[in-house]
Amino acid sequence: MKKLTNKEREVMELYWLHGPMFVRELLEHYEEPRPHVNTLSTIVRRLEREGYLGHKQYGSTYQYHALISEQDYAKNNIFRLVDNYVKDSYKGIVSTFLKEEKLSVEELRDLLCQVETYEKSKK
């Protein structure tokens, strides 16, 4: 799956938060000035075409729903980031976070404890 644009992500966040909706209902979750309904409809159809949304038909209208969870989307983005920028080196990511002071030594210790607990649970 491709990375979402800002507008696509905004729409998906509303579906993740509020569940299935018609495009007109989606529009109600925007503050003024709201996007035009045709603009939202175009984004929703594109998200459906790309596999992020599905729909259920009611007469001549469609109620759309998320096909991928927010957690799965985030996980896919993390893996894409690692693949594209650090050549599959998760150690490189942790090292970068440490160097940039985005991860403290205490947080690193917590991560190490999580890894050790996970490894013990696999046995």
Side-chain angles (χ1 to χ4, degrees):
M1 294 191 139
K2 77 167 192 80
K3 183 180 178 196
L4 297 173
T5 66
N6 290 341
K7 292 294 181 188
E8 290 169 338
R9 170 92 187 178
E10 190 176 275
V11 168
M12 285 304 299
E13 286 175 352
L14 289 170
Y15 277 102
W16 289 325
L17 182 62
H18 299 289
M21 291 181 283
F22 297 95
V23 174
R24 292 241 179 238
E25 291 174 311
L26 178 66
L27 187 63
E28 295 169 11
H29 293 286
Y30 282 86
E31 293 183 13
E32 295 293 341
R34 291 185 170 124
H36 193 275
V37 68
N38 290 346
T39 302
L40 277 183
S41 185
T42 298
I43 294 169
V44 166
R45 285 193 314 273
R46 185 171 56 237
L47 287 167
E48 182 178 33
R49 190 172 52 249
E50 293 171 0
Y52 287 97
L53 294 175
H55 74 265
K56 184 173 182 182
Q57 187 169 357
Y58 293 93
S60 62
T61 189
Y62 299 99
Q63 184 183 50
Y64 294 90
H65 58 274
L67 292 177
I68 182 172
S69 71
E70 187 171 16
Q71 294 79 14
D72 286 342
Y73 176 72
K75 186 173 33 172
N76 288 339
N77 273 339
I78 289 169
F79 291 141
R80 186 180 311 113
L81 172 75
V82 172
D83 290 344
N84 291 340
Y85 297 103
V86 291
K87 310 291 188 259
D88 287 329
S89 173
Y90 293 90
K91 181 180 172 185
I93 286 185
V94 173
S95 177
T96 299
F97 286 147
L98 284 170
K99 289 175 187 171
E100 296 295 321
E101 298 180 4
K102 302 292 184 190
L103 184 66
S104 71
V105 172
E106 188 59 38
E107 290 169 322
L108 188 56
R109 283 189 188 112
D110 288 344
L111 283 174
L112 185 55
C113 286
Q114 288 178 30
V115 169
E116 289 170 346
T117 301
Y118 175 75
E119 288 298 318
K120 287 177 186 176
S121 73
K122 288 183 3 183
K123 294 178 182 178

